[in-house]
Amino acid sequence: MTISLQDKVIWITGASGGIGEALAKQFARAGAKVVLSARRQTELERVQQSLPHPERHLTVPLDVCDEHAQQQALDQIMHHYGRLDWLINNAGISQRALVMDTSSDTDRKIMEIDYFAQVALSRRVLSVMLKQGAGQLVFISSVAGLVGTQYRGSYSAAKAALHLWANSVRAELYNQGIRVAVVFPGFVKTAVSMNALTGSGEALGKMDDAQAKAMTADEFAAATLKALRKGNSYIVIGGFKEKLAAYIARLSPELLYRLIRKSKVR
């Protein structure tokens, strides 16, 4: 059975480019009414105009770390549509720094964006979904959150924490109509490495080779939508190596640790 998205109200954070933009296009093509959020209003408007029937969709600028702004954004969505069916927690930031080169401030910034902001927004949205008696949360985690790799210590930790928080929500609220899915992307060709934080908290400013050769955001979004419409809740999307690493992480952690130590990840 395939889940229908026709006229579902779906809120996507980090929707001004990359994975978020690609997901917005997929959901809009499937008939959903898409709410686009990110900090850059002009880019949100560009994405909106690229969607089929732009007038069906809504742009809501948002700094996801601002909890007051989160509530204002949710109020705006509810005023406009009267309900919210799905939340896609996609906003986030990556890392390219060894653990001993990463400052505590950078650790906290990554955790604030990639974990605390997602949890705070999800809890607000859940208050609406529980009143509705139904809703779907989707978290964009990372294969790095399943395996942990060099140069991504804080990022891996944040994405792993998000995964396990989602597990708890799924267990606690399933009988109240709440569905939860976590998506674990491998390498996707976006600007994520350009914006990734170095140990001092500055943007890396360059594209990783692995990122440059990876699947496109559109390919990732199409595979994600297909899995979500099947009702899947644990979704790993990537190349052979990323899928293998995720499988070995569950089957034999000791083997994974040996492989990760020998791997060249940057």
Side-chain angles (χ1 to χ4, degrees), residues 14-25:
S16 60
I19 285 174
E21 177 177 356
L23 287 170
K25 291 177 180 178

Side-chain angles (χ1 to χ4, degrees), residues 138 146 181-185 220 223-224 227-228 231-237:
V138 179
L146 293 174
V182 183
V183 185
F184 303 92
F220 167 80
T224 298
L228 290 171
N232 294 348
S233 58
Y234 182 98
I235 303 165
V236 178
I237 299 175

Side-chain angles (χ1 to χ4, degrees), residues 129-130 133-136 173-179:
M129 291 180 172
L130 287 168
Q136 169 90 48
L173 301 180
Y174 181 88
N175 289 334
Q176 297 179 63
I178 304 302
R179 301 295 177 261

Side-chain angles (χ1 to χ4, degrees), residues 187-244:
F187 291 110
V188 181
K189 190 176 182 180
T190 67
V192 65
S193 63
M194 296 285 291
N195 299 322
L197 299 185
T198 62
S200 63
E202 298 176 354
L204 181 65
K206 62 181 181 180
M207 178 76 77
D208 289 344
D209 288 342
Q211 218 83 46
K213 299 172 183 176
M215 73 171 69
T216 67
D218 288 336
E219 290 170 332
F220 167 80
T224 298
L225 186 67
K226 183 178 180 180
L228 290 171
R229 295 188 72 178
K230 289 180 179 179
N232 294 348
S233 58
Y234 182 98
I235 303 165
V236 178
I237 299 175
F240 174 76
K241 289 183 178 179
E242 294 112 293
K243 289 181 177 179
L244 179 62

Side-chain angles (χ1 to χ4, degrees), residues 65-95:
C65 292
D66 184 337
E67 293 197 26
H68 178 67
Q70 287 181 4
Q71 187 61 52
Q72 288 184 318
L74 180 57
D75 290 344
Q76 183 178 346
I77 294 166
M78 295 303 293
H79 177 75
H80 188 86
Y81 290 113
R83 72 180 196 279
L84 177 58
D85 299 300
W86 289 36
L87 170 64
I88 314 294
N89 278 293
N90 172 67
I93 195 163
S94 192
Q95 176 190 22

Side-chain angles (χ1 to χ4, degrees), residues 84-85 122 125-139 165-166 168-181:
L84 177 58
D85 299 300
S122 297
V125 167
L126 281 169
S127 67
V128 168
M129 291 180 172
L130 287 168
K131 290 177 183 177
Q132 295 174 165
Q136 169 90 48
L137 297 182
V138 179
F139 296 90
W165 190 83
S168 294
V169 175
R170 184 185 296 110
E172 292 177 11
L173 301 180
Y174 181 88
N175 289 334
Q176 297 179 63
I178 304 302
R179 301 295 177 261
V180 181

Side-chain angles (χ1 to χ4, degrees), residues 21-176:
E21 177 177 356
L23 287 170
K25 291 177 180 178
Q26 289 290 332
F27 280 109
R29 290 169 188 159
K33 298 174 181 178
V34 180
V35 181
L36 306 163
S37 281
R39 290 178 297 177
R40 297 176 294 170
Q41 173 71 46
T42 55
E43 288 302 300
L44 292 177
E45 292 173 354
R46 176 189 61 78
V47 175
Q48 180 185 20
Q49 292 306 311
S50 74
L51 303 180
H53 306 291
E55 71 282 355
R56 284 168 49 87
H57 314 298
L58 182 67
T59 63
V60 181
L62 174 66
D63 177 351
V64 75
C65 292
D66 184 337
E67 293 197 26
H68 178 67
Q70 287 181 4
Q71 187 61 52
Q72 288 184 318
L74 180 57
D75 290 344
Q76 183 178 346
I77 294 166
M78 295 303 293
H79 177 75
H80 188 86
Y81 290 113
R83 72 180 196 279
L84 177 58
D85 299 300
W86 289 36
L87 170 64
I88 314 294
N89 278 293
N90 172 67
I93 195 163
S94 192
Q95 176 190 22
R96 297 295 184 274
L98 296 169
V99 294
M100 294 304 292
D101 295 334
T102 303
S103 70
S104 294
D105 286 344
T106 302
D107 285 333
R108 290 187 177 92
K109 183 173 183 179
I110 291 169
M111 289 297 295
E112 185 64 42
I113 297 171
D114 290 353
Y115 176 72
F116 288 113
Q118 319 295 321
V119 167
L121 181 59
S122 297
R123 193 177 285 117
R124 290 179 190 279
V125 167
L126 281 169
S127 67
V128 168
M129 291 180 172
L130 287 168
K131 290 177 183 177
Q132 295 174 165
Q136 169 90 48
L137 297 182
V138 179
F139 296 90
I140 307 299
S141 180
S142 172
V143 169
L146 293 174
V147 303
T149 64
Q150 301 93 323
Y151 296 97
R152 292 164 180 79
S154 303
Y155 174 74
S156 293
K159 291 298 189 178
L162 196 63
H163 169 208
L164 296 182
W165 190 83
N167 280 358
S168 294
V169 175
R170 184 185 296 110
E172 292 177 11
L173 301 180
Y174 181 88
N175 289 334
Q176 297 179 63

